[in-house]
Amino acid sequence: MATTKPAPAAKSETPADPTTLGADVGLTKDDLLEMYRLMAVARAVDERMWILNRADKIPFVISGQGHEGAQVGLAYALKKGHDWMVPYYRSVASLITFGMSPREIMLAQFARGVDPSSGGRQMPGHYGIIERNILSVSSPVATQLLHATGIAWASKLKKTDVVTITYIGEGSSNQGDFHEGLNFAGVHNLPVIYVVENNGYAISVPMALQSAVADIAIRGAGYNMPGVIIDGIDVLACYRAGREAIDRARRGEGPTLIEAKVTRLTAHSSDDQQTKYRTAEDLESGKDRDPLPVFRDQLRAAGMLDDETEANMVAEARKVVEDATDWAEAQADPDPATAQRHVYADLPPARMDDPLWTGVRFIGDGGPWGVLRDSGGEG
Amino acid sequence: MAVMTFIESVRTTLAQEMRRDDSIVVLGEDVGKKGGVFLATDGLYDEFGGDRVLDTPLSESMIVGVSIGAAVAGLRPVPEIQFADFIFPAFNQILSEAARMRFRSNGAFTCPITLRAPYGGGVHGALYHSQSVEAFFAHIPGLKVVIPSTPYDARGLLRTSIRDNDPVLFFEHKKMYRSVRGDVPDDDYTIPIGQAKVTREGTDVTLIAYGLMAQYSLEAAELLASDGVSAEVVDVRTLRPLDGETLLASVRKTGKAVVVYEDNRFGGYGAEIAAIVAEEAFESLDGPIVRVTGPDVPGVPYNHVLEDWFMPNPERIAEAARRLAAY
Ligand SMILES: Cc1ncc(C[n+]2csc(CCOP(=O)(O)OP(=O)(O)O)c2C)c(N)n1
Ligand SMILES: [Mg+2]
């Protein structure tokens, strides 16, 4: 079993000759700078969400600050538009790596009518874009593990080389769905990667009260799949683990469970006050595990990131976020006249002036069933 | 007598009951140190410690299933489901186990748990933090279902639920937690499960509701009064067992019934009320039974424009009652 402990020191992956950073895993300088850019954009988008929330422009935020190193590293080797991503609410950087644009992410924050994730129907954080092979997120945790398993099963039956990756928190890995999904994938040797982003807390409940074992990865053994532990601030180690799992899956060698040890730099969500259950030291030490400055220092030490490149990147990230925010905010709210669409494929929407919730239907008009009959639907 | 919010009533009642009976344990996600995501259990962890106020792993089936076992063994668990929307992983435990324990064992085993869960929309919670789930559970014999609409009732009914020897689902409308205040006496009063309450007397039309909709119905009655329509409001309070007599007496008096519920219209709990009224009070009816409900879409949408479209409100209730009164 390929269970490995996280490297104790953040920079343990830095090779002796820093200018070859990434070479051992086949990454070029351009790749590394692109990965850093993705992390920086994700962070900038994420920070903007919280600013918008504090400014009362969006009622709710849930996001992934602190998880970006693992998310970018693990997703970087996926084939966009070919593989499948089944994300969760913290997947901002995973999604940006997989091609979702900051504008698309911001549309979900503002819940506008043209929001490709849900047309403004879902809370922010519930992304999903069919054209990008990103499955729609729901709120009940862990359900998506089974969907990812099913997508992978379909790939196997259809004999494609499509790989599916899905993500979940460590607390959520205690739901039955998690175990049921891994078991099925193990039995059928499916091309799926389960990523547990372990940030130590499920809202307020610490890992020690969630799990009798310190590492979720060892659960892979129970389902006959490798359980790999990676340190989420070691972006290159995350990339390596992701690529190995993706390659294995693509070769038909089966599923992998990957546990990324990350830190949650924000409260659980904008509704949470984490100072109530986390000590000052705990919060402070989390900051040392921010993957952005760690990766930045690695790149600088390798001579790959000079002042000018960095300044350009920061400026670009800011511009992207400004554009995404302003543009998304300017889009219209959904039209309530569309609210009954997409309940079924084949039934026409009930007449908008019909049921009593509008307060205008009145007695004797036959109710919703009359409407369906009138429009040729089932009566 | 103290004036308190709905959630303060829940919280202080839990504390009082735990002081009274040390077999009571509270368990659920984030109920301990954090005091619950809505702070309904705030302070309990400090007062009673981690054994009696347990932060559980994130799995609802476990929360309910373990509560059932603990109840069989003599504890009185008061599990919390963080949002009613997340009760479904535990549906099997509730339906197949808690509800059937007494019946299937020919009365040998009982299952006294009080399962609390915040429900309801109007708080930008979208599809999965807004649902009204009562119809699923009220459908099941063996379960009791309670939905208070005032701080006074929350205390009296929570006490009764905890002391009851059967499983009770106790749903609290999250929009009322901080927006509804009221008098709560200090004495050890209880309210029997199975008693509806006439919360406003009237003569022209009866509004029948529970939870937030019972509050909205009172507001609607106020609007109606200014139009010269006298509405009586019946707060159902306990959905199972249902106090048919109180609501039938009201409908027999007014001859007109508006049933209000926030859940999807089709097969919602109010459909049962409508059926009972039709069966039992047909001779007294002076117009069709009218329902004001949420629409038949699979969830409350998030965007405020869509959410407003979904939610029944006092104006919609008043409009329906006005038309019915004029029928
Ligand atoms: C079935 C279900 N129960 C409860 C919740 C409420 N909830 C949302 S996130 C969360 C904690 C998740 O913790 P973890 O899995 O560790 O992921 P993290 O948020 O830390 O990334 C809880 C309890 C939910 N969404 N779904
Ligand atoms: Mg976590």
Side-chain angles (χ1 to χ4, degrees), chain B residues 122-252:
Chain B
V123 296
H124 306 311
L127 282 78
Y128 304 102
H129 298 79
S130 304
Q131 285 170 79
S132 297
V133 302
E134 67 277 5
F136 296 113
F137 300 99
H139 180 63
I140 304 171
L143 299 179
K144 296 183 176 177
V145 180
V146 174
I147 305 187
S149 78
T150 65
Y152 177 89
D153 285 355
R155 171 164 294 178
L157 285 165
L158 184 55
R159 276 196 185 125
T160 315
S161 300
I162 291 173
R163 299 174 193 183
D164 196 273
N165 285 327
D166 283 307
V168 180
L169 282 95
F170 193 90
F171 294 120
E172 302 156 10
H173 200 294
K174 63 180 88 72
K175 195 180 170 79
M176 298 199 314
Y177 270 153
R178 288 176 174 78
S179 65
V180 173
R181 305 174 70 82
D183 286 335
V184 180
D186 300 323
D187 63 318
D188 190 43
Y189 71 96
T190 55
I191 298 172
I193 293 178
Q195 283 188 5
K197 185 177 179 182
V198 176
T199 52
R200 178 181 174 121
E201 305 230 358
T203 51
D204 297 336
V205 56
T206 299
L207 310 180
I208 304 167
Y210 48 90
L212 180 66
M213 293 302 127
Q215 290 282 346
Y216 281 3
S217 293
L218 286 172
E219 289 178 40
E222 203 55 43
L223 295 173
L224 288 163
S226 58
D227 297 339
V229 175
S230 167
E232 178 147 308
V233 179
V234 179
D235 183 348
V236 174
R237 299 201 296 189
T238 74
L239 282 62
R240 188 137 197 181
L242 171 67
D243 174 8
E245 281 318 307
T246 298
L247 57 97
L248 286 169
S250 176
V251 174
R252 286 189 185 114

